[in-house]
Amino acid sequence: MRQSQILLNTLRERPSEADTEGHGLLLRGGYIRQLAAGIYSYLPLGRRVLRKIEGIVREEMERAGVQEVMLPSMQPAELWMESGRYGTYGNNLMTVNDRHGREFILGPTHEEAVTSLMKNEVSSYRKLPVKVYQIGTKFRDEKRPRFGLLRGREFIMKDAYSFDISEEGLDLSYRTMFGAYNRIFARCGLRFRAVEADAGTIGGDGGSHEFIALSSIGEDTVAVCGHCDYAANLEQAETASWDGESIGSGAKEIGLDTPQADRGGAAAEDAPLPEKFHTPDIRTIDQLTAAYGLKPEQIIKTLIYKAGGDIVAVLVRGDHEVNEIKLGKYLGAEDTTLADDSTVAAAAGVICGYVGPAGLKLPVLVDYAVAAMTEGTTGAGERDYHLRGVRPGRDFPLAHVGDFRNAAEGDPCPRCREGHLTLHRGIEIGHVFKLGTRYSDKLSAAFLDASGREQSMIMGCYGIGISRLLAAVAEQNAGEGGIAWPDALAPFEVQIIIVSIKDEAQAALAEKLYGTLKKLGLEVLLDDRDERPGVKFKDSGLIGTPQVVVIGREAALERVEYENRVSGVKETLGLEESILRITEHATSSTFAD
Ligand SMILES: [Zn+2]
């Protein structure tokens, strides 16, 4: 394509609406433009990258035996009421009314629509399993659209759904999709991790994994082992127990009325008793460490939580954070919140900042890391005083010991026990769920099994944010001068720059190379504009093709400058040699897929 003819305007400065590097470069490179908050147009360059992503997704879906369909964006609100999600999605649903006042939802996802379709199309086990997918526009009434394509109100998704007759069938479908997702993200050149995840609002039980592209601007935090392939969402990541045992997210069931037995723990018979010391106006970990030369890991934090109707104390190390999801699971409570000041004062008999576990008349939940301490510093349960030399098991009971905190940098890996966890920010680009019969039960999608009995179809659902993936690739490959696109996604494979189009030898050589490469089936962008070289080079960086050929002073000698931005090699070559380099690179990057 000729650059003089393509709809492409680069911007010299980063627009103020850009809140990340990648977003800024997509705008500057003329890939996307904002129409309204969280709503974007894709210009020819952006559309070309999207098509590359969609192409890879289609190939891998076909390979995994998934059939392409297309479901409507507009869905009757009644269908969402039937599934129960009309309420749970709430204000995030984008809705429209037709002229008769009937309400429709602009689909953020298509579980209801596809289940309704399958209910009518499939009635016998002989037609199962079936896997279908579509690529299309989704809508979400995002309260605060931000980060460009990452959190928009209109976005492009690939969503797939599997229907099986048994749990074993679902396992196989899930594993097949899991493999396909790994291939898709690897082919897109992403640095990513598949992590164990919470199923969130889509619901269902059983397995769920998120695919996270590593990026400092990501809204998710993942814990990753440096030794084995363990990776999990921060909310889900397990921490190793005091005796090295790893526990699952479904914690042991110990009722709150269990007598608080003294399990001894690390207490030594002859150790000195805790020592009270005066700490006027010292109420935070930071103040304690600064004033008394303590390390946060020598302090035991005592936090008071409301869980359902109960009030409990939770002990974590000074450098650790309580994980409310784990706490809620342990207590079997839906709603777990930090108690307010007056509740703390009433329950613990002292103001916040001086609460300690010794003598507390509340159930005390002790995190593994605290149970493993020999002694620590805590609040004294008395205003303006703390205690040092407090021993777990001796000075407070170890009746409820468990995993109550977020994983932290450097924690031992709960899976292999050899590696240590590091924390990374990331962008969620894909999600796979085992749904089970959550939707098929509600929407009566049943089939007759081999013995003629009616059974609910067993479902899985599998999403990839296509426009998000584009944004994630842009973030990971954002450089100073532009986005260095990976070969598989670049809008063009090679760009030819004519330094001066008024120079006949340059123009002629460029046309010759352009024609040859096009005949070889390559995607070529020819900068044939009457612009200063500086402008052309700057734009070339913003466009970010993996290979560039500059035709300048040595054109008369049929010599060009070839640059491979992937390998970083720059060389002056004869015309034939440059063609060889370009085709070699194209072949090797194709085989790398
Ligand atoms: Zn590990």
Side-chain angles (χ1 to χ4, degrees), residues 225 227-228 230 413 415-417 419:
C225 174
H227 185 72
C228 70
Y230 179 79
C413 170
R415 193 62 47 80
C416 71
R417 314 268 169 81

Coordinates of all heavy atoms in Angstrom, one line a residue, residues 225 227-228 230 413 415-417 419, ligand 1:
C225 N 5.7 -18.4 40.6 CA 6.8 -19.1 41.1 C 8.0 -19.1 40.1 O 7.8 -19.2 38.9 CB 6.5 -20.6 41.4 SG 7.9 -21.5 41.9
H227 N 10.4 -21.2 40.1 CA 10.9 -22.5 39.9 C 10.0 -23.5 39.1 O 10.5 -24.1 38.2 CB 11.2 -23.1 41.3 CG 11.9 -24.4 41.3 ND1 13.2 -24.6 40.9 CD2 11.5 -25.7 41.5 CE1 13.6 -25.9 41.0 NE2 12.5 -26.6 41.4
C228 N 8.7 -23.5 39.5 CA 7.8 -24.4 38.7 C 6.8 -23.5 38.0 O 7.0 -22.3 37.9 CB 7.0 -25.3 39.7 SG 5.8 -24.5 40.8
Y230 N 3.7 -22.7 38.8 CA 2.6 -22.2 39.6 C 2.5 -20.7 39.4 O 3.4 -19.9 39.4 CB 2.9 -22.5 41.1 CG 1.8 -22.0 42.0 CD1 0.6 -22.7 42.2 CD2 2.0 -20.7 42.7 CE1 -0.4 -22.2 43.0 CE2 0.9 -20.2 43.5 CZ -0.2 -21.0 43.6 OH -1.2 -20.5 44.4
C413 N 7.0 -21.0 47.4 CA 5.9 -21.5 46.5 C 5.1 -22.6 47.2 O 5.6 -23.5 47.7 CB 6.5 -22.1 45.2 SG 5.4 -22.9 44.1
R415 N 3.3 -24.8 45.8 CA 3.2 -26.0 45.0 C 4.5 -26.8 45.0 O 4.5 -28.0 45.5 CB 2.9 -25.6 43.5 CG 2.4 -26.7 42.6 CD 1.1 -27.4 43.0 NE 0.0 -26.6 43.4 CZ -0.8 -26.0 42.6 NH1 -0.7 -26.0 41.3 NH2 -1.9 -25.3 43.1
C416 N 5.6 -26.2 44.6 CA 6.9 -27.0 44.5 C 7.7 -26.9 45.8 O 8.6 -27.7 46.0 CB 7.7 -26.6 43.3 SG 8.4 -24.9 43.5
R417 N 7.4 -25.8 46.7 CA 8.1 -25.6 47.9 C 9.6 -25.2 47.7 O 10.3 -25.0 48.7 CB 8.1 -26.8 48.8 CG 6.8 -27.5 49.0 CD 6.0 -26.9 50.2 NE 4.7 -27.4 50.2 CZ 4.2 -28.5 50.6 NH1 5.1 -29.4 51.1 NH2 3.0 -28.9 50.5
G419 N 10.8 -23.0 44.9 CA 10.9 -21.7 44.4 C 10.3 -20.7 45.3 O 9.7 -21.0 46.4
Ligands
ZN1 ZN 6.9 -23.5 42.5

